[in-house]
């Protein structure tokens, strides 16, 4: 098994995961640097979520290992936060009570100054006593991001958190993630089905193959931040989008057109 790259924050080496006869991912190796955003894209069912959950320590691997700062992850880690596809707010607790829930589980005193800063940052100040049913989908996902960031994780794993949102709210959430990253420089691994979202958010975009998922491409995203509408409408973004599509769909004509 190859060694982790020196200086990498998160390293995966030879990762494989089987569910009975089903091989979800196979021989996945990658590094995620400090203070970077790396997105992972690929066809449906290629093992993106399996890989992310393995990084979090919630799912054990069948082969290989995941390391954080050179230490093998064998279970949930206090330095790793996770934002799910759904907000997963407890319906019987209000917004603030949901955010404080992980602090209660850990039996720790919450950092209210930081939590209130985050609530203000994401536009949820004044909604602390609202129940989840009183919040829009976008507001619920903002609350889930605050809940994850409230513990100040140094690594944040995001499992397609905006897939169920409408296009306008999704774009708003993408800009919010970019703004929070510019402030906190938290290392982020982001799973998405949207190539445009991956390019907008990321320093690198990794492409997984069809199941069993393997890394088949690794694209640097060279555009300066914050990324403007003009940048996202540029020929360079269009070409990169088509290259990634060609890898996912196997359409050589798309690759030739992009090049």
């Amino acid at each position: 098994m190859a060694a982790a790259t020196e200086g990498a924050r998160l390293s995966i080496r030879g990762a494989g995961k089987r569910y009975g006869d089903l091989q979800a991912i196979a021989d996945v190796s990658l590094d995620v640097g400090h203070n970077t955003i790396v997105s992972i894209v690929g066809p449906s069912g290629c093992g993106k979520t399996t890989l992310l959950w393995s990084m979090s320590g919630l799912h054990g691997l069948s082969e290989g290992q995941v390391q954080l700062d050179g230490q093998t992850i064998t279970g949930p880690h206090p330095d790793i936060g996770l934002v799910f596809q759904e907000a997963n707010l407890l319906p019987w607790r209000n917004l603030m009570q949901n955010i404080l829930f992980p602090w209660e589980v850990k039996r720790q005193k919450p950092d209210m100054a930081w939590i209130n800063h985050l609530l203000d940052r994401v536009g949820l100040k004044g909604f602390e006593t609202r129940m989840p049913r009183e919040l829009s989908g976008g507001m619920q996902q903002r609350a889930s991001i605050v809940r994850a960031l409230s513990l100040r994780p140094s690594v944040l794993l995001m499992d397609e958190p905006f897939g169920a949102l409408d296009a306008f709210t999704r774009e708003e959430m993408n800009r919010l993630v970019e703004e929070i990253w510019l402030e906190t420089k938290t290392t982020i691994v982001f799973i998405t089905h949207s190539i445009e979202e991956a390019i907008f958010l990321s320093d690198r975009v990794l492409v997984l193959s069809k199941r069993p998922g393997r890394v088949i491409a690794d694209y640097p995203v060279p555009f300066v931040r914050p990324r403007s509408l003009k940048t996202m409408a540029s020929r360079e973004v269009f070409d990169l989008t088509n290259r990634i599509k060609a890898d996912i769909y196997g359409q050589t004509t798309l690759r030739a057109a992009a090049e």
Side-chain angles (χ1 to χ4, degrees):
M1 187 180 300
T5 300
E6 184 177 354
R9 189 76 225 277
L10 197 62
S11 293
I12 296 91
R13 288 293 176 269
K17 180 66 177 179
R18 294 187 304 274
Y19 298 96
D21 295 333
L22 178 67
Q23 183 84 33
I25 58 174
D27 195 27
V28 174
S29 294
L30 61 95
D31 294 304
V32 179
H34 287 256
N35 313 130
T36 61
I37 303 178
V38 174
S39 285
I40 300 175
V41 300
S44 295
C46 70
K48 297 185 294 294
T49 294
T50 295
L51 178 59
L52 195 79
W53 280 53
S54 298
M55 292 182 194
S56 74
L58 293 176
H59 278 191
L61 290 167
S62 304
E63 302 92 26
Q65 62 183 10
V66 178
Q67 291 188 340
L68 178 66
D69 295 333
Q71 300 297 314
T72 300
I73 295 174
T74 58
H77 196 287
D79 281 342
I80 299 177
L82 185 60
V83 178
F84 300 91
Q85 293 179 15
E86 303 293 335
N88 290 324
L89 301 181
L90 299 174
W92 58 88
R93 298 176 67 111
N94 65 31
L95 184 149
M96 180 60 82
Q97 290 169 340
N98 268 284
I99 290 169
L100 296 181
F101 181 67
W103 293 89
E104 295 173 18
V105 172
K106 291 175 177 290
R107 298 183 180 180
Q108 295 179 0
K109 182 180 179 180
D111 184 345
M112 294 306 302
W114 175 240
I115 290 170
N116 285 319
H117 170 73
L118 289 172
L119 287 172
D120 184 58
R121 191 69 188 78
V122 304
L124 287 178
K125 285 293 290 182
F127 292 89
E128 292 89 341
T129 61
R130 297 294 182 94
M131 303 302 286
R133 65 179 178 275
E134 300 177 284
L135 304 174
S136 68
M139 294 171 77
Q140 290 186 36
Q141 281 295 47
R142 290 179 192 180
S144 72
I145 292 172
V146 171
R147 181 175 59 192
L149 289 175
S150 73
L151 295 164
R152 295 183 184 267
S154 58
V155 175
L156 186 63
L157 308 178
M158 306 185 77
D159 185 11
E160 200 176 358
F162 311 138
L165 303 179
D166 64 83
F168 179 82
T169 304
R170 185 167 185 159
E171 183 173 335
E172 183 181 54
M173 295 299 291
N174 288 338
R175 294 200 174 277
L176 175 63
V177 169
E178 182 186 51
E179 291 168 4
I180 289 175
W181 179 84
L182 286 169
E183 178 181 346
T184 65
K185 294 300 178 71
T186 301
T187 299
I188 296 176
V189 180
F190 194 94
I191 300 294
T192 179
H193 279 97
S194 169
I195 297 170
E196 291 78 9
E197 182 173 66
I199 292 172
F200 176 79
L201 286 173
S202 306
D203 299 290
R204 290 163 56 210
V205 178
L206 306 182
V207 184
L208 292 190
S209 67
K210 293 180 181 179
R211 189 173 62 240
R214 295 179 170 86
V215 178
I216 58 172
D218 183 347
Y219 291 99
V221 183
F223 313 115
V224 298
R225 302 180 191 274
R227 290 176 181 160
S228 66
L229 291 174
K230 182 178 180 180
T231 296
M232 295 307 297
S234 68
R235 177 71 191 193
E236 291 79 8
V237 169
F238 177 81
D239 289 346
L240 180 56
T241 300
N242 275 349
R243 290 190 185 98
I244 295 171
K245 285 182 178 179
D247 288 322
I248 294 173
Y249 302 116
Q251 296 176 1
T252 54
T253 53
L254 269 179
R255 178 177 289 280
E259 295 174 348

